[in-house]
Amino acid sequence: MELAQDLVQRIRGVIGAEAGFVPLHVPEFHGRERELLIDCIDTGWVSSVGSYVDAFEAEVARLSGCTHGVVVANGTAALQIAMLVAGVAPGDEVLMPALTFVATANATSHLGAVPHFVDSAYDTMGVCPTRLRAHLEQVAEVREGATWNRQTGRRIAAIVPMHVFGCPVDMDGLDAVVADWPMVVVEDAAESLGSTYHGRPCGSLGRIAAISFNGNKIVTTGGGGAIVTNDEALAKRAKHLTTTAKQPHPWAFIHDEVGYNYRMPNLNAALGVAQLEQLGDRLAQKQRLFDAYAAAFDGLSGAQLFTAPEGSVSNNWLVTLILDPDMAAQRDTLLKVLNDAGIMTRPIWTLMHRLPMYQDAPRADLTQAADLEARVLNIPSSAHLGAAL
Ligand SMILES: *Cc1c(COP(=O)(O)O)cnc(C)c1O
């Protein structure tokens, strides 16, 4: 197949002819990881409290343009607690793109709330403000300062913009919709540490945000997540809830509500501190890789490199190709040829409403999301590929 062979050659021109399988995105440890992990072991501070937890919280917050950070066991837990402290209650609906990783919907379900799926935009791959407004005009009403779904009778408490593969959502467009349809904005910034929207870091664009440090993300703690916000009260409540809701006391075990043990161990936080020291270098390497792909795909026909819109800077977490509409039918053949050639290539996620547990969830018309679902591919994006260029 012509496009497939063309892509294999152009991608190999960037990542080299290195034998064996080139993964999509590997964790990389080029800093003080070993030193800080050994320090945890030598001092005995390996578990749920320690100086690396505090240092990591401060640094994640700073890099996200926020005053407060609370690190937790994973990004899914971060999303759940971010929504909880932002006011999402059991029985509420939470708007989110159908085109997201399943964690966004699962975290909502874990709260006893209901995911409500909306359409995506071609320019960002994230929530489409125009389509969102049209959908709300169809199904919702504002009563007593809140937005309600007229069809289900439930309150629409929040919207979760997710910055797909690091590309920021059109937040000006979204804020304009939310100005007319009151609800809290909880960012799913799991993939977008280091991305900026009109100079403002992802993670600081809503009321509160969740970040992931899973092994496949731009920096990793093995497993981990963070809640970041500029709202001190929300941060304090998130810290309290995620650490078993224990009142500070020299010896007594007084827990004042049903809390969660979502703490990030000091070992993982130590890894995170060392990783964040390399974030600047990593972003530069990933930009170099992106630029090399952009040059290599010059004149390509049949697919286009996805580029963040003017005013947005992506962290380039995963490099994305969008097939031309007439190539969509060949997606699976392309996936096979590229993977067989040792170039790990992945489709985007299956839309949430196609998964059995979310098939009956409320949803908007998802035409654009379905179109993107059929045409988006990710290709090898590890930072070290850019370091070699
Ligand atoms: C990775 C990811 C998460 C969840 O993070 P975990 O740390 O794996 O729980 C949530 N949302 C999106 C969009 C993600 O990519």
Side-chain angles (χ1 to χ4, degrees):
M1 199 198 137
E2 219 174 279
L3 175 59
Q5 289 312 330
D6 192 11
L7 280 175
V8 168
Q9 278 191 7
R10 289 175 192 253
I11 294 170
R12 278 290 173 197
V14 173
I15 66 178
E18 165 186 341
F21 196 71
V22 182
L24 198 63
H25 199 276
V26 295
E28 304 200 30
F29 307 102
H30 306 302
R32 296 200 296 149
E33 287 86 354
R34 218 173 276 267
E35 177 193 331
L36 302 193
L37 285 175
I38 288 169
D39 183 50
C40 291
I41 294 165
D42 286 349
T43 59
W45 290 96
V46 296
S47 196
S48 47
V49 292
S51 62
Y52 293 118
V53 171
D54 303 335
F56 189 43
E57 287 183 331
E59 195 57 7
V60 170
R62 191 183 71 79
L63 291 167
S64 306
C66 288
T67 48
H68 294 82
V70 176
V71 294
V72 294
N74 55 59
T76 310
L79 269 171
Q80 180 191 342
I81 302 301
M83 285 190 274
L84 191 165
V85 301
V88 175
D92 283 341
E93 290 182 13
V94 175
L95 301 175
M96 67 188 64
L99 193 60
T100 186
F101 178 59
V102 70
T104 323
N106 285 348
T108 305
S109 302
H110 295 158
L111 274 179
V114 178
H116 179 152
F117 303 118
V118 297
D119 208 5
S120 303
Y122 288 112
D123 60 342
T124 64
M125 297 187 287
V127 165
C128 175
T130 314
R131 306 267 296 152
L132 174 67
R133 183 183 288 279
H135 178 62
L136 287 169
E137 281 167 1
Q138 253 181 17
V139 306
E141 66 182 353
V142 176
R143 253 192 293 128
E144 293 150 15
T147 298
W148 297 81
N149 185 332
R150 284 187 282 107
Q151 298 177 334
T152 62
R154 288 187 288 246
R155 182 174 74 134
I156 300 177
I159 183 160
V160 185
M162 193 278 275
H163 309 295
V164 179
F165 307 140
C167 177
V169 165
D170 171 3
M171 294 302 294
D172 287 347
L174 181 62
D175 288 344
V177 176
V178 169
D180 295 334
W181 297 94
M183 61 186 76
V184 66
V185 176
V186 178
E187 283 178 271
D188 183 342
E191 307 181 351
S192 52
L193 182 67
S195 299
T196 60
Y197 177 78
H198 297 289
R200 294 151 63 209
C202 285
S204 68
L205 305 174
R207 186 84 191 283
I208 191 166
I211 301 173
S212 169
F213 303 104
N214 190 41
N216 61 340
K217 299 302 200 295
I218 187 162
V219 295
T220 185
T221 57
I227 298 159
V228 291
T229 181
N230 281 307
D231 186 318
E232 183 179 6
L234 295 193
K236 279 200 166 138
R237 181 145 162 73
K239 186 70 183 178
H240 185 64
L241 273 174
T242 55
T243 56
T244 74
K246 184 178 180 296
Q247 292 188 349
H249 191 279
W251 60 80
F253 291 101
I254 312 294
H255 304 265
D256 54 21
E257 60 186 308
V258 180
Y260 301 80
N261 177 13
Y262 281 175
R263 295 173 291 199
M264 174 186 282
N266 200 48
L267 269 176
N268 300 73
L271 211 49
V273 167
Q275 289 269 290
L276 288 185
E277 291 171 355
Q278 300 158 66
L279 181 63
D281 288 344
R282 196 156 299 179
L283 289 168
Q285 290 166 359
K286 290 175 78 67
Q287 185 62 48
R288 272 214 294 286
L289 179 64
F290 178 88
D291 292 343
Y293 275 131
F297 294 149
D298 189 39
L300 177 72
S301 73
Q304 287 202 355
L305 184 65
F306 175 83
T307 307
E310 198 63 36
S312 286
V313 178
S314 173
N315 65 2
N316 296 302
W317 175 50
L318 292 184
V319 179
T320 302
L321 278 170
I322 305 197
L323 302 177
D324 290 354
D326 60 337
M327 286 289 159
Q330 319 218 22
R331 185 194 78 169
D332 291 358
T333 315
L334 279 163
L335 282 163
K336 178 155 177 32
V337 174
L338 286 159
N339 282 292
D340 284 353
I343 298 166
M344 184 166 170
T345 308
R346 284 287 195 84
I348 200 167
W349 312 282
T350 299
L351 297 187
M352 289 301 107
H353 73 288
R354 301 195 205 282
L355 304 180
M357 61 287 195
Y358 296 124
Q359 61 187 1
D360 297 326
R363 63 177 191 258
D365 178 88
L366 301 171
T367 304
Q368 295 182 178
D371 187 27
L372 286 165
E373 177 195 36
R375 298 199 282 129
V376 168
L377 297 178
N378 294 123
I379 55 175
S381 307
S382 300
H384 73 91
L385 296 168
L389 296 167

